[in-house]
């Protein structure tokens, strides 16, 4: 079965970046080529447009976190890429989503996630998980590092310093969904998505993680599904004009896809990047599957492999009749046990392989 490379990072931020860049240089080159192509051709941005956006976010990263900037410099040095191209990867969330919002583009994204409180699981552990649906040719990796005695194991796209889906030794875990609304705009220069996710993954408590997800308005909307081994599940829908927190109903599994559950509460008009709009179907379907039967690891995995609705189902496959640049698939499927600090995953659609388990305690 396909397995992701696992890279252990240690030392200064620059040294960690160099370790990331050296270990994943081929994958980073592929991702630079992928996003360069997509920003130019799919999002319709000129060289000057991209340079302007990358320059702004390089400044944002530098101001918000000199350590993040140093990590990007290390990745660039060791992978043989320019700092501008590594900054492009790290700001790709803001640049791409902002361009898509303006184009009303219609990729067949994106993700379906869940958070199961202890009352809903057979072992009384808190679980989170998701299918991360994205471009079939994106190249990923698992990273592990320790900051201030908090050890993290998480997934990233090769070349992106801030991992986004994972678990830490304090029992905090994170899954994510893309969201969209009319207020999304790269020019806001808000705290970048990938810096925010890496900070959430470094959190020591659910309260700290929620604060990082909620504060400092982002440029572009996103959903943060956060789990704590001891405090349960909290979900933060984040937009440039405000954030809204959700918790599981009556101890049930909370499911989230790619729509704000109450846009009027935030005073926003939401965009959808998928035609036909599948986010409502995927959320309702996974909710019915996970809340409609006794949970088990096997049942969750079967649910993440669900194909009801065809290619645009919970387990996503490219729609072959669509232009190639609009096709997506489930690039990563994940189930995290926050008590055990284990991450089970498939690299690619979960219907095509068995899950691999990585335990935080067993990675160097
Ligand atoms: Zn499938």
């Amino acid at each position: 079965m396909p397995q992701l490379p696992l890279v252990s990072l240690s030392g200064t931020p620059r040294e960690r970046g160099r370790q990331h860049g050296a270990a994943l240089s081929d994958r980073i080159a592929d991702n630079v080529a992928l996003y360069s192509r997509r920003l130019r051709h799919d999002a319709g941005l000129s060289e000057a447009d991209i340079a302007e956006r990358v320059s702004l976010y390089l400044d944002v990263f530098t101001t918000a976190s000199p350590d993040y900037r140093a990590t990007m410099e290390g990745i660039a040095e060791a992978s043989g890429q320019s700092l501008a191209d590594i900054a492009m990867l790290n700001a790709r969330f803001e640049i791409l989503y902002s361009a898509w919002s303006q184009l009303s583009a219609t990729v067949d994204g994106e993700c379906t996630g869940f958070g199961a409180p202890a009352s809903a699981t057979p072992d009384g552990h808190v679980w989170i998980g998701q299918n991360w649906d994205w471009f079939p040719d994106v190249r990923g990796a698992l990273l592990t590092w320790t900051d201030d005695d908090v050890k993290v194991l998480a997934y990233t796209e090769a070349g992106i310093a801030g991992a986004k889906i994972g678990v830490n030794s304090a029992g905090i875990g994170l899954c994510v969904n893309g969201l969209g609304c009319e207020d999304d705009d790269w020019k806001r220069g808000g705290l970048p998505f990938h810096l925010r996710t890496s900070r959430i993954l470094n959190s020591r408590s659910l309260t700290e993680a929620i604060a990082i997800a909620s504060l400092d308005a982002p440029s572009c909307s996103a959903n943060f599904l956060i789990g704590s081994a001891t405090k349960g599940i909290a979900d933060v829908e984040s937009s440039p004009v405000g954030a809204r927190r959700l918790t599981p109903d009556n101890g049930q599994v909370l499911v989230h896809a790619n729509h704000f559950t109450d846009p009027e509460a935030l005073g926003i008009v939401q965009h959808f990047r998928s035609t036909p709009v599948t986010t409502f179907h995927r959320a309702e379907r996974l909710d019915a599957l996970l809340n409609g039967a006794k949970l088990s690891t096997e049942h969750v995995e079967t649910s993440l492999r669900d194909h009801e609705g065809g290619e645009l189902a919970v387990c996503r496959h490219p729609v072959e009749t669509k232009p190639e640049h609009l096709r997506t698939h489930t690039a990563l499927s994940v189930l995290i046990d926050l008590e055990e600090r284990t991450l089970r995953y498939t690299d690619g659609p979960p219907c095509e392989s068995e899950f691999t388990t990585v335990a935080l305690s067993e990675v160097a």
Side-chain angles (χ1 to χ4, degrees):
M1 69 190 78
Q3 295 202 352
L4 293 166
L6 170 61
V7 185
S8 297
L9 308 175
S10 61
T12 65
R14 197 182 196 94
E15 288 167 347
R16 295 184 193 190
R18 290 186 63 82
Q19 292 154 11
H20 177 155
L24 301 173
S25 58
D26 291 349
R27 287 176 177 252
I28 293 168
D30 288 347
N31 284 343
V32 168
L34 161 66
Y35 283 109
S36 297
R37 188 174 72 246
R38 288 193 170 270
L39 291 176
R40 286 166 178 77
H41 298 158
D42 308 351
L45 300 179
S46 68
E47 298 287 338
D49 291 335
I50 295 169
E52 180 187 19
R53 288 155 174 74
V54 168
S55 173
L56 182 143
Y57 279 95
L58 196 49
D59 287 345
V60 173
F61 279 118
T62 305
T63 303
S65 174
D67 284 353
Y68 199 98
R69 159 84 186 225
T71 308
M72 290 196 297
E73 288 174 346
I75 293 172
E77 285 168 13
S79 66
Q81 303 293 332
S82 69
L83 178 60
D85 279 343
I86 296 303
M88 173 193 72
L89 293 183
N90 282 270
R92 68 88 174 152
F93 186 92
E94 285 74 20
I95 299 174
L96 201 52
Y97 280 15
S98 190
W100 279 343
S101 291
Q102 287 164 16
L103 289 172
S104 295
T106 53
V107 298
D108 287 329
E110 293 176 24
C111 316
T112 319
F114 72 91
S119 56
T121 64
D123 53 12
H125 297 175
V126 177
W127 298 353
I128 59 173
Q130 75 171 106
N131 280 352
W132 179 62
D133 305 332
W134 200 234
F135 306 134
D137 45 354
V138 73
R139 307 288 299 276
L142 296 173
L143 303 180
T144 183
W145 70 87
T146 300
D147 265 336
D148 299 327
D149 295 328
V150 177
K151 185 177 176 184
V152 182
L153 169 66
Y155 174 87
T156 195
E157 295 169 53
I160 295 184
K164 60 173 161 266
I165 299 167
V167 58
N168 74 21
S169 56
I172 302 296
L174 177 65
C175 287
V176 294
N177 306 92
L179 298 175
C181 78
E182 284 191 354
D183 299 285
D184 292 347
D185 188 347
W186 67 273
K187 290 193 288 292
R188 291 175 179 275
L191 192 72
F193 173 81
H194 286 103
L195 175 54
R196 195 182 300 265
T197 55
S198 73
R199 286 182 172 173
I200 293 172
L201 285 164
N202 273 319
S203 297
R204 293 174 180 279
S205 69
L206 187 61
T207 303
E208 182 183 351
I210 290 170
I212 295 165
S214 309
L215 299 176
D216 299 324
S219 301
C220 295
S221 305
N223 186 62
F224 303 98
L225 202 163
I226 306 164
S228 157
T230 55
K231 302 291 184 185
I233 300 295
D235 184 280
V236 177
E237 294 178 343
S238 160
S239 86
V241 295
R244 186 163 172 271
R245 185 173 153 192
L246 311 173
T247 51
D249 286 333
N250 301 317
Q252 290 201 306
V253 181
L254 185 153
V255 172
H256 209 288
N258 305 108
H259 55 277
F260 288 94
T261 51
D262 188 355
E264 290 181 1
L266 282 168
I268 57 169
V269 176
Q270 61 183 332
H271 283 302
F272 294 106
R273 301 188 188 90
S274 178
T275 302
V277 175
T278 67
T279 178
F280 296 104
H281 166 73
R282 286 181 284 109
E284 288 170 11
R285 177 65 177 165
L286 192 61
D287 187 289
L289 288 167
L290 297 183
N291 283 312
K294 197 168 165 57
L295 275 197
S296 66
T297 303
E298 294 72 24
H299 180 64
V300 171
E301 292 176 358
T302 300
S303 301
L304 292 171
R305 292 172 170 133
D306 187 68
H307 288 141
E308 189 191 271
E311 293 98 331
L312 304 179
V314 169
C315 186
R316 174 170 301 268
H317 294 272
V319 179
E320 299 297 340
T321 54
K322 287 276 185 83
E324 190 171 352
H325 69 272
L326 296 181
R327 299 176 193 168
T328 56
H329 78 162
T330 298
L332 177 80
S333 187
V334 173
L335 170 58
I336 294 168
D337 181 328
L338 293 163
E339 182 69 33
E340 299 289 337
R341 277 76 146 156
T342 52
L343 186 153
R344 290 171 61 74
Y345 76 91
T346 64
D347 181 19
C351 65
E352 295 176 0
S353 59
E354 296 301 315
F355 281 73
T356 297
T357 302
V358 185
L360 182 66
S361 62
E362 292 172 6
V363 297

